[in-house]
Amino acid sequence: MCGIIGYTGREAALPLILGGLERLEYRGYDSAGVALIEDGKLVVEKKVGKIRELVKSLWGKPYKGKTGIGHTRWATHGEPSTENAHPHTDSKEEFAVVHNGIVENYLELKRELEGEGVHFRSGTDTEVIAHLIARSYRGDLLDAVLEVVGRLRGAFAFAVITAHEPNRIVGVKQGSPLVVGIGEGENFLASDIPAILPYTRKIVTLSDGEVADITPDGVNIYDFHGNPVTKEVMEVPWDIISAEKSGFKHFMLKEIYEQPKAVGDTVRGLVSSGERPPFSLKEFRRALIIACGTSYHAGLIGKFWMEKLTGVPTEVVYASEFRYADYPVGEEDLIVAISQSGETIDTKFAVNYAKDKGARTLSVVNVVGSSIDRESDFTFHTHAGPEIGVAATKTFTAQLAALYYLASLEHDEGEKLLSELMKVPAKIEEALEKSEGVEKLADKYMKKKDFLYLGRYLSFPIALEGALKLKEISYIHAEGYPAGEMKHGPIALIDENMPVVVIAPQDRVHDKTLANIEEVRTRKGIVIGVGFEGDDKVEKLSTEFVGIPSVEEDFTPFVSVVPLQLLAYHIASKLGLDVDQPRNLAKTVTVE
Ligand code: M6R
């Protein structure tokens, strides 16, 4: 995890770096720091807490240095503290390093350096990089970095500056993301594109095993052996305005309301370009969907569509479990990797593993140019725009749209199915309107300690997703369960204090779900029923009823997830919690 940024140019670096760090804060926010070259000397400022704490600590300090690096941290090695915050420096404080990822052999390197008399001030793996570079430095920062990268193992990206060469930053990418921003008389490095979008739209995405040597006047890329690499400069189409809150209290709420557009843009983007993978789905013995968190829940829904519309047997596997489980995978398999960020390390490693075994890889990714996007054989891009809230919302429904598109591509009535899919954004709009009463439910149930979410068939993954949303932003325990499985155990939890959210659209299992609601009522549970508007049966059986628009069975997840996202949002917001940056989490998880 962690976010890194670097600037070298003609302007004072500090405000640009702090602005970038705020946009990177979703990647981690337990401490932050900057290093600048001020009048030929290195200065480092760090603070525990969010970026605003660092900003406050810098008020009134007249830093004018034109080269600097910054970091926002999500602790892996070493607790959140000022000592462990980045940047880390060598013993003489001439080199400063910011780092994202893990140096797996840091203990061995640390012992080696300690044997030479180096004193370590932090418990991090990063500090070894600063000491190693200082040790290798013979007048050229790039040479020193190239000497050091060969010694490091793991997945990481880092940037380094030195007082000896005030207008230079060297950045390294190996497993963790790093992009270069090209400006006029100024250049940037960052963990992701939105961090530097206000300053430039010209981006070079580094690949693993590459080093960027950056000065105000140019950028040179090399491989780890020092051979020059030619890279394409891409022009980013996103508009930074879409990364502002536009009057909403939180990004998450704004993003929930952006779902009609996110789904509409995704469907239109795919349909108008007529995108198709360069292979037929039917040539595979099975499809393996690999993802984490919310993307995994999208995959569970995608499985039903894949099997129904293509007939290809489909399994869904947590990416973090995949490559350690001797999963039989080979040329006959299609891997479908789903990832908003395109940088989730578990998913990326799973893709690499499956590729090595000969499988073909197709990804569904929101961030263009991300690692998974580049490393897959084919990518469907979701056009959801940047998602800032840590809780995934609009990217989830956009992923659903892309998965439905994929499943319908080779269906005899594919065109008809897609024209039905085009109507979904309007239905999500309706679901948003109909969910206005959800805020009152949040008032009523926000003090509850546990929630149960139940659903069957396509609504089971929605139950999982509703529970995940509530857990991650409100810190209330919540469990998603297949409604029919409840009687095999969890029913014992139900009493008059337990809110049970039941997703019960009029689908093939409607009657069965009604019976499950009865079971909850019989045990005096509080039923929050989510059903098609006008569905008297669900309404009568529920303590609280939330109406959603009636849609074709296949499209029910698009509309039933909306009130669940809003319920979680309003509860967390009313509890006064940090909705967009919940504790212990980060938007992009780049550690295993
Ligand atoms: O970027 P990805 O889609 O690969 O991220 C996967 C999960 O980390 C992510 O969906 C996470 O579960 C969300 N924060 C949940 O809201």
Side-chain angles (χ1 to χ4, degrees), residues 419-451:
S419 70
E420 289 304 312
L421 181 63
M422 300 278 235
K423 296 180 192 156
V424 164
K427 293 291 181 184
I428 301 177
E429 195 79 63
E430 264 186 68
L432 285 163
E433 283 158 22
K434 292 189 197 311
S435 295
E436 271 163 17
V438 168
E439 191 174 349
K440 288 211 180 85
L441 296 183
D443 277 321
K444 214 162 155 186
Y445 298 111
M446 62 192 258
K447 297 275 162 59
K448 294 287 178 194
K449 298 277 171 264
D450 304 277
F451 275 68

Coordinates of all heavy atoms in Angstrom, one line a residue, residues 419-451:
S419 N -29.4 -4.4 -25.6 CA -30.3 -3.3 -25.6 C -31.1 -3.3 -24.3 O -31.4 -2.2 -23.8 CB -31.2 -3.3 -26.8 OG -32.1 -4.3 -26.7
E420 N -31.3 -4.4 -23.7 CA -31.9 -4.4 -22.3 C -31.0 -3.8 -21.3 O -31.4 -3.1 -20.4 CB -32.3 -5.8 -21.9 CG -33.5 -6.4 -22.7 CD -34.8 -5.6 -22.6 OE1 -35.1 -5.2 -21.5 OE2 -35.4 -5.3 -23.7
L421 N -29.7 -4.2 -21.4 CA -28.7 -3.7 -20.5 C -28.6 -2.2 -20.6 O -28.4 -1.5 -19.5 CB -27.3 -4.3 -20.8 CG -26.1 -3.9 -20.0 CD1 -26.3 -4.4 -18.5 CD2 -24.8 -4.6 -20.5
M422 N -28.8 -1.6 -21.7 CA -28.8 -0.2 -21.9 C -29.9 0.5 -21.1 O -29.8 1.7 -20.8 CB -29.0 0.2 -23.4 CG -28.0 -0.3 -24.3 SD -26.6 0.6 -24.3 CE -26.4 1.0 -26.1
K423 N -30.9 -0.2 -20.7 CA -32.0 0.4 -19.9 C -31.7 0.4 -18.4 O -32.4 1.0 -17.6 CB -33.3 -0.3 -20.2 CG -33.8 -0.3 -21.6 CD -35.1 -1.0 -21.7 CE -35.4 -1.2 -23.2 NZ -36.3 -2.4 -23.5
V424 N -30.6 -0.3 -18.0 CA -30.3 -0.4 -16.6 C -30.0 0.9 -15.9 O -30.5 1.2 -14.8 CB -29.2 -1.5 -16.4 CG1 -28.6 -1.4 -15.0 CG2 -29.8 -2.9 -16.6
P425 N -29.2 1.8 -16.6 CA -28.9 3.1 -15.9 C -30.2 3.8 -15.4 O -30.2 4.3 -14.3 CB -28.2 3.9 -16.9 CG -27.5 2.8 -17.8 CD -28.5 1.7 -17.8
A426 N -31.2 3.8 -16.2 CA -32.5 4.5 -15.8 C -33.1 3.8 -14.6 O -33.7 4.4 -13.7 CB -33.4 4.5 -17.0
K427 N -32.9 2.5 -14.5 CA -33.5 1.8 -13.4 C -32.7 2.0 -12.1 O -33.2 2.1 -11.0 CB -33.5 0.2 -13.7 CG -34.4 -0.2 -14.8 CD -35.9 0.0 -14.3 CE -36.9 -0.4 -15.4 NZ -38.3 -0.2 -14.9
I428 N -31.4 2.2 -12.3 CA -30.6 2.6 -11.1 C -31.0 3.9 -10.6 O -31.1 4.2 -9.4 CB -29.1 2.5 -11.4 CG1 -28.7 1.1 -11.9 CG2 -28.2 2.9 -10.2 CD1 -27.2 1.0 -12.3
E429 N -31.2 4.8 -11.5 CA -31.7 6.2 -11.2 C -33.0 6.1 -10.3 O -33.1 6.7 -9.3 CB -32.0 6.9 -12.5 CG -32.1 8.4 -12.4 CD -30.8 9.1 -12.3 OE1 -30.0 9.0 -13.2 OE2 -30.5 9.7 -11.2
E430 N -33.9 5.2 -10.8 CA -35.1 5.0 -10.0 C -34.8 4.4 -8.6 O -35.5 4.8 -7.7 CB -36.0 4.0 -10.8 CG -37.1 4.6 -11.7 CD -38.0 3.5 -12.2 OE1 -38.7 2.8 -11.5 OE2 -37.9 3.2 -13.4
A431 N -33.9 3.5 -8.6 CA -33.6 2.9 -7.3 C -33.0 3.9 -6.4 O -33.3 3.9 -5.2 CB -32.6 1.7 -7.5
L432 N -32.3 4.9 -6.9 CA -31.8 5.9 -6.0 C -32.9 6.8 -5.5 O -32.9 7.1 -4.3 CB -30.8 6.8 -6.8 CG -29.4 6.2 -7.1 CD1 -28.7 6.9 -8.2 CD2 -28.5 6.2 -5.8
E433 N -33.9 7.1 -6.4 CA -35.0 7.9 -5.9 C -35.8 7.1 -4.8 O -36.2 7.7 -3.8 CB -35.9 8.2 -7.1 CG -35.4 9.3 -7.9 CD -36.0 9.3 -9.4 OE1 -37.1 8.7 -9.5 OE2 -35.3 9.9 -10.3
K434 N -36.0 5.9 -5.1 CA -36.9 5.1 -4.2 C -36.2 4.8 -2.8 O -36.8 4.4 -1.9 CB -37.3 3.7 -4.8 CG -38.2 3.9 -6.0 CD -38.7 2.5 -6.4 CE -39.3 2.5 -7.8 NZ -40.3 3.6 -8.1
S435 N -34.9 5.0 -2.8 CA -34.1 4.7 -1.6 C -34.0 5.8 -0.6 O -33.3 5.8 0.4 CB -32.7 4.2 -1.9 OG -32.8 3.0 -2.7
E436 N -34.8 6.9 -0.9 CA -34.7 8.1 0.0 C -35.0 7.7 1.5 O -34.4 8.3 2.4 CB -35.6 9.2 -0.5 CG -34.8 10.1 -1.5 CD -35.6 10.9 -2.3 OE1 -36.8 11.2 -2.0 OE2 -35.1 11.4 -3.4
G437 N -35.9 6.8 1.7 CA -36.3 6.5 3.0 C -35.3 5.7 3.8 O -35.4 5.5 5.0
V438 N -34.2 5.3 3.1 CA -33.2 4.5 3.8 C -32.5 5.3 4.9 O -32.1 4.7 5.9 CB -32.2 4.0 2.7 CG1 -30.9 3.4 3.4 CG2 -32.8 2.9 1.8
E439 N -32.4 6.6 4.7 CA -31.7 7.4 5.8 C -32.5 7.3 7.1 O -31.8 7.2 8.2 CB -31.7 8.9 5.3 CG -30.8 9.6 6.2 CD -30.5 11.1 5.8 OE1 -30.9 11.4 4.6 OE2 -30.0 11.8 6.6
K440 N -33.8 7.2 7.1 CA -34.6 7.0 8.3 C -34.2 5.7 9.0 O -34.2 5.6 10.2 CB -36.1 7.1 8.0 CG -36.5 8.5 7.7 CD -38.0 8.7 8.2 CE -38.5 10.1 7.8 NZ -39.0 10.2 6.4
L441 N -34.1 4.7 8.1 CA -33.7 3.3 8.7 C -32.4 3.4 9.4 O -32.2 2.8 10.4 CB -33.7 2.3 7.6 CG -35.0 2.0 6.8 CD1 -34.8 0.9 5.8 CD2 -36.1 1.6 7.8
A442 N -31.5 4.2 8.8 CA -30.2 4.3 9.4 C -30.3 4.9 10.8 O -29.7 4.5 11.7 CB -29.3 5.2 8.5
D443 N -31.2 5.9 10.9 CA -31.4 6.6 12.3 C -31.8 5.5 13.3 O -31.4 5.5 14.4 CB -32.5 7.6 12.2 CG -32.0 8.9 11.7 OD1 -30.9 9.3 12.1 OD2 -32.7 9.6 10.9
K444 N -32.7 4.7 12.8 CA -33.4 3.7 13.7 C -32.5 2.5 14.1 O -32.5 2.1 15.2 CB -34.6 3.1 12.9 CG -35.8 2.8 13.8 CD -37.0 2.7 12.9 CE -38.0 1.8 13.5 NZ -39.2 1.5 12.6
Y445 N -31.6 2.1 13.2 CA -30.8 0.9 13.4 C -29.3 1.1 13.6 O -28.6 0.2 13.7 CB -31.1 -0.1 12.3 CG -32.6 -0.5 12.3 CD1 -33.4 -0.2 11.3 CD2 -33.1 -1.2 13.4 CE1 -34.8 -0.5 11.3 CE2 -34.5 -1.6 13.4 CZ -35.3 -1.2 12.3 OH -36.6 -1.5 12.3
M446 N -28.9 2.4 13.6 CA -27.4 2.6 13.6 C -26.7 2.1 14.9 O -25.5 2.0 14.9 CB -27.2 4.1 13.4 CG -27.7 5.0 14.5 SD -27.7 6.7 14.0 CE -26.3 7.3 14.9
K447 N -27.5 1.9 16.0 CA -26.9 1.5 17.2 C -26.8 0.0 17.4 O -26.3 -0.5 18.3 CB -27.7 2.1 18.4 CG -27.7 3.6 18.5 CD -26.5 4.1 19.2 CE -26.1 5.6 19.0 NZ -27.2 6.5 19.4
K448 N -27.3 -0.7 16.4 CA -27.3 -2.2 16.5 C -25.9 -2.7 16.3 O -25.0 -2.1 15.6 CB -28.2 -2.8 15.4 CG -29.6 -2.5 15.5 CD -30.2 -3.3 16.7 CE -31.7 -3.0 16.9 NZ -32.2 -3.5 18.1
K449 N -25.6 -3.8 17.0 CA -24.2 -4.3 17.0 C -23.9 -5.3 15.9 O -22.8 -5.6 15.5 CB -23.9 -5.0 18.3 CG -23.9 -4.0 19.5 CD -22.6 -3.2 19.6 CE -22.7 -2.1 20.6 NZ -22.9 -0.8 20.1
D450 N -25.0 -6.0 15.4 CA -24.8 -7.0 14.4 C -26.0 -6.9 13.3 O -27.1 -6.5 13.7 CB -25.0 -8.4 15.0 CG -24.0 -8.6 16.1 OD1 -22.8 -9.0 15.8 OD2 -24.4 -8.4 17.3
F451 N -25.7 -7.2 12.1 CA -26.7 -7.3 11.1 C -26.5 -8.6 10.3 O -25.3 -9.0 10.1 CB -26.5 -6.1 10.0 CG -27.1 -4.8 10.4 CD1 -26.6 -4.0 11.4 CD2 -28.1 -4.3 9.6 CE1 -27.2 -2.8 11.7 CE2 -28.7 -3.1 9.9 CZ -28.2 -2.3 11.0

